[in-house]
Amino acid sequence: MSLDNEHLEYPKKRYGMDHDRYEWSILQERPSITWPSHKKLAIWINVCLEFFPLNQSGTPFPPPGGMTMPYPDLRHFSLRDYGNRVGIYRILKALDAVNAKATFSINGQLTERAPYLMDILKERGDEIIAYGWNMDSIHHSGMSLDEEKALIERTIDKLSKYSNKKILGWLSPSRNESKYTPELLASAGLSYFCDWVNDDMPYLFHTDNGELWAMPLSNELDDAFIMMNNLHSEQSYLDQICDAADFLLNEAQTEGGRILALNIHPWMSGQPHRINKLEAVLHYIKTLPDVMFANGTDIVNIVSN
Amino acid sequence: MLEDLELYDYWPYHHRPKITWPNNARLAFWVAPNIEFYELDPPLNPSRKAWPQPYPATQGYSIRDYGNRVGHVRQMRILDKYGVRGSISLSTALCEHHPEIIQMCLEREWEFFSHGIYNTRYTYGMSETQEREMIDDAVNTIEKYTGRKPSGYLAPALSHSELTMDLFAEAGGIYTCDLFHDDQPTPVKVRSGKQFISIPYSLEMNDTIAYVVNKIEPRRYGQIIKENFDRLYQEGADSGTVMCIPTHNYQVSCPHRLKAFEEALDYITGHSDVWVTTGREIAEYFIDNYYEISADDINSKQGTL
């Protein structure tokens, strides 16, 4: 019994990373970031608007939150649809109650399925970023380059037409990428993407077609990760976000600006028994000293200057 | 495959020879930060895949990188505050990838023990020669970068062979963290007949097991640590016990989790009869003072009462 020689060879063992996507650097050793008006903590809320098709292909894996039962899995289909019909309106109210600015990551196909909601968001003027075509269109290396390019272009095209704005940000469905996704996002004219979870501050990500900003959209603080994946209570969600806000605000006193990034799903936090905890989160962070709400583009504009 | 590797004999947890730690302490407390490097594209081991998703596994890879970029300094500051020197379970390739982290730990006189070369290279399928080569490579790397060979071993990603303990003992090691059969150090049988022991490392207190496998809420994790301590501290009055908190900077150092961890450390180090120490110091003290008497006691308890 033995393994092939390659198992004892380490061709990427070198200073820095084992790939060329970004530079190795320790957060605490970087120049500090100063937010406008000497604010310490930027609150970046990203609301995910998602469409889970009933005829899910599950390629290369079933999307978390997607269909799990034999076709037609109406329970998951309709419960996710609830977010776009009901939950989102509760969340908009909650955001407005504290004058919170937010980013909305939207599956391109929702422009066809929920044009009324798209109009509402357009009227509000919030930032919209592209979130793939739908939750079952997962970007992966088994996809052809042309197929992936078409998906990205179609999504950006629909969303920019609908919002009448240039789309600058991207989030991949299930945060999954092919080996070419960053190249395709850069050549589509995007300035940032939110898939990688290796930092608490933005950093530059190299692609063959130019640089992207990798934005730190925490998965650990995502409402569905905490309450659906980890099965934590609504109260614990509130506790965890408040503890994170306190910690980051404290760190920012000596280390420069920090970001509290909250990724929110209307089908999760927009439920009647959960919305009060989201409201409590928003109220808590709003009343902290030296915080500001910012969307993704605001943050990129500040750090790139 | 064997029914039991027979690494240790049955040893009832009562009427054992009394252990007293230095300065009459009743509990030896150590923290073992795992400082790991996971490869983005490792060779595929026939027994275990490194990543559930096809290449590139953006999510799994990037959250682990978060531990090195963001989390390490955070945990180190808290350990500094409570006078804890970490005993590092080290992916030794990190000496080349991230020498800045090694330097910070050297300055603090932390202990370095071997956790293999990469946490994406598994022992499964290796011949004896290959496993020895991997172990020697890791041991020599630690000696080269820190000036001292490691005394302890935690197999990479807890992947073992039937010979792991034998080979590490032959490479000069004196303790293993791979066995979870006891709350006190115990002799481990190796083919060379060397004095080799197991030091309690605790899967139950391990943050990754708590957070990822058992999906424990952060504040409850803090509470569990305190309760684990309370009982071991109480029992330590009869015979000295060992408590370990194994950590990972991509889990415990997230902003929503550090408060609970810090409170637990504050609680533990606030007790008078605690020996705040390292894995190596516990192992050396046990071998020097209690190995023989323990081995005799174990021998006397084989067979019937």
Side-chain angles (χ1 to χ4, degrees):
Chain A
M1 187 174 68
S2 65
L3 297 175
D4 294 340
N5 287 339
E6 64 167 345
H7 291 273
L8 289 154
E9 291 164 359
Y10 312 99
K12 298 281 175 65
K13 194 161 75 164
R14 61 187 184 193
Y15 180 77
M17 305 310 299
D18 60 336
H19 56 77
D20 299 318
R21 285 303 196 180
Y22 51 81
E23 311 307 319
W24 152 244
S25 101
I26 293 176
L27 171 65
Q28 293 84 357
E29 297 190 343
R30 287 176 223 159
S32 62
I33 297 286
T34 305
W35 299 131
S37 309
H38 298 285
K39 299 291 186 193
K40 299 292 185 195
L41 186 62
I43 313 292
W44 174 34
I45 295 168
N46 184 62
V47 181
C48 293
L49 294 172
E50 304 178 333
F51 171 56
F52 290 86
L54 194 55
N55 59 343
Q56 177 178 291
S57 75
T59 308
F61 53 82
M67 308 301 115
T68 63
M69 303 299 290
Y71 176 87
D73 181 357
L74 281 175
R75 71 169 85 167
H76 288 106
F77 179 84
S78 57
L79 187 55
R80 300 298 168 251
D81 218 19
Y82 177 96
N84 302 327
R85 299 165 60 89
V86 181
I88 181 62
Y89 293 97
R90 289 199 182 108
I91 284 176
L92 292 176
K93 250 189 205 172
L95 293 173
D96 291 344
V98 293
N99 289 319
K101 204 173 190 181
T103 298
F104 291 79
S105 58
I106 305 178
N107 287 157
Q109 198 176 354
L110 275 181
T111 58
E112 297 171 353
R113 294 185 52 87
Y116 185 93
L117 175 56
M118 295 302 113
D119 281 344
I120 295 273
L121 296 174
K122 180 179 173 181
E123 199 176 284
R124 292 170 58 88
D126 294 297
E127 180 183 34
I128 287 171
I129 65 170
Y131 189 16
W133 183 245
N134 63 40
M135 295 312 288
D136 190 37
S137 63
I138 295 174
H139 296 239
H140 62 102
S141 295
M143 200 176 244
S144 77
L145 193 62
D146 285 345
E147 190 185 354
E148 188 178 6
K149 190 162 182 269
L151 262 182
I152 291 171
E153 283 175 358
R154 179 157 46 126
T155 300
I156 292 174
D157 182 55
K158 286 277 187 182
L159 287 168
S160 58
K161 278 200 180 122
Y162 227 98
S163 62
N164 207 18
K165 276 186 189 165
K166 186 169 161 53
I167 303 295
L168 297 171
W170 175 272
L171 174 63
S172 295
S174 298
R175 296 174 184 252
N176 208 68
E177 295 178 0
S178 80
K179 60 181 91 164
Y180 305 115
T181 305
E183 273 68 29
L184 294 172
L185 298 179
S187 62
L190 297 168
S191 70
Y192 75 92
F193 72 142
C194 320
D195 297 336
W196 289 60
V197 288
N198 53 340
D199 218 305
D200 275 349
M201 292 297 284
Y203 66 89
L204 280 173
F205 195 97
H206 310 312
T207 88
D208 292 346
N209 302 325
E211 310 262 55
L212 289 169
W213 283 98
M215 283 284 282
L217 185 61
S218 171
N219 187 54
E220 298 289 330
L221 296 176
D222 176 307
D223 61 349
F225 184 76
I226 290 175
M227 291 184 277
M228 182 177 73
N229 182 74
N230 291 346
L231 299 172
H232 294 174
S233 68
E234 287 73 19
Q235 180 60 42
S236 180
Y237 171 73
L238 170 60
D239 294 342
Q240 291 179 50
I241 305 299
C242 294
D243 286 352
D246 291 345
F247 179 85
L248 290 167
L249 189 58
N250 186 50
E251 192 172 82
Q253 304 303 321
T254 51
E255 307 240 326
R258 286 285 181 267
I259 299 168
L260 176 69
L262 300 179
N263 204 38
I264 290 167
H265 296 78
W267 49 260
M268 172 62 64
S269 289
Q271 287 283 345
H273 53 295
R274 296 198 184 102
I275 189 71
N276 65 336
K277 293 298 186 284
L278 179 63
E279 289 165 351
V281 160
L282 293 171
H283 178 73
Y284 183 80
I285 53 186
K286 166 86 176 178
T287 52
L288 290 171
D290 299 325
V291 300
M292 65 174 198
F293 289 103
N295 65 32
T297 295
D298 295 336
I299 292 171
V300 165
N301 285 340
I302 296 165
V303 297
S304 54
N305 287 323
Chain B
M1 289 187 283
L2 302 168
E3 184 177 88
D4 180 355
L5 297 190
E6 298 185 356
L7 295 167
Y8 51 84
D9 289 321
Y10 183 75
W11 193 21
Y13 188 57
H14 72 172
H15 309 319
R16 290 183 181 179
K18 179 173 178 171
I19 293 174
T20 305
W21 299 122
N23 298 315
N24 288 319
R26 33 169 144 156
L27 182 140
F29 175 66
W30 65 302
V31 177
N34 284 267
I35 304 186
E36 298 171 328
F37 200 102
Y38 285 74
E39 298 161 284
L40 184 58
D41 194 16
L44 175 64
N45 184 288
S47 299
R48 180 169 162 185
K49 277 170 78 173
W51 303 113
Q53 296 88 17
Y55 173 87
T58 307
Q59 282 235 55
Y61 178 89
S62 65
I63 189 64
R64 286 163 179 80
D65 185 33
Y66 179 95
N68 295 327
R69 288 172 78 85
V70 179
H72 171 73
V73 170
R74 283 186 184 153
Q75 186 187 181
M76 192 175 67
R77 285 183 183 153
I78 289 182
L79 294 183
D80 283 351
K81 182 173 170 185
Y82 293 98
V84 179
R85 280 178 297 134
S87 305
I88 304 160
S89 165
L90 182 69
S91 293
T92 60
L94 197 123
C95 294
E96 289 185 48
H97 288 293
H98 302 332
E100 299 88 347
I101 290 180
I102 302 298
Q103 188 56 37
M104 289 178 205
C105 300
L106 273 172
E107 286 164 7
R108 287 163 174 77
E109 298 184 341
W110 286 16
E111 178 192 340
F112 297 83
F113 68 85
S114 172
H115 190 27
I117 296 169
Y118 285 109
N119 222 34
T120 36
R121 303 284 180 127
Y122 309 120
T123 311
Y124 309 122
M126 284 188 180
S127 67
E128 179 176 344
T129 306
Q130 289 179 325
E131 188 176 5
R132 184 184 294 111
E133 182 184 326
M134 175 184 72
I135 287 173
D136 287 347
D137 183 338
V139 163
N140 293 336
T141 302
I142 288 181
E143 184 180 29
K144 178 178 163 192
Y145 282 87
T146 73
R148 189 167 175 189
K149 285 188 175 180
S151 296
Y153 194 56
L154 178 70
L158 274 66
S159 66
H160 310 104
S161 76
E162 293 173 356
L163 298 176
T164 299
M165 308 298 160
D166 297 326
L167 293 171
F168 184 63
E170 287 157 25
I174 59 168
Y175 77 94
T176 174
C177 301
D178 284 301
L179 302 174
F180 305 98
H181 61 304
D182 218 291
D183 285 329
Q184 292 181 311
T186 69
V188 170
K189 290 184 271 186
V190 289
R191 65 185 180 189
S192 58
K194 290 183 170 182
Q195 291 190 341
F196 188 76
I197 63 171
S198 164
I199 297 291
Y201 167 82
S202 186
L203 271 193
E204 296 278 340
M205 293 297 103
N206 186 312
D207 62 345
T208 300
I209 302 299
Y211 286 129
V212 181
V213 180
N214 298 340
K215 302 191 186 304
I216 287 173
E217 296 165 353
R219 293 183 183 187
R220 187 174 156 226
Y221 178 58
Q223 187 60 29
I224 287 172
I225 292 174
K226 290 181 199 172
E227 291 183 15
N228 186 278
F229 170 80
D230 282 342
R231 180 51 59 107
L232 290 171
Y233 190 69
Q234 178 195 332
E235 292 176 355
D238 298 329
S239 177
T241 48
V242 177
M243 177 176 179
C244 179
I245 309 179
T247 60
H248 297 74
N249 285 313
Y250 68 95
Q251 291 296 332
V252 79
S253 299
C254 288
H256 56 311
R257 297 192 178 124
L258 275 165
K259 182 178 168 185
F261 180 65
E262 180 168 355
E263 282 176 3
L265 285 182
D266 185 61
Y267 181 78
I268 291 167
T269 57
H271 285 70
S272 55
D273 295 331
V274 176
W275 180 29
V276 179
T277 185
T278 63
R280 175 189 277 137
E281 287 173 1
I282 298 170
E284 287 175 345
Y285 192 82
F286 181 85
I287 288 173
D288 288 348
N289 297 282
Y290 296 106
Y291 184 93
E292 297 289 356
I293 192 174
S294 298
D296 290 347
D297 190 59
I298 292 168
N299 278 335
S300 76
K301 288 170 178 165
Q302 301 312 298
T304 59
L305 184 66

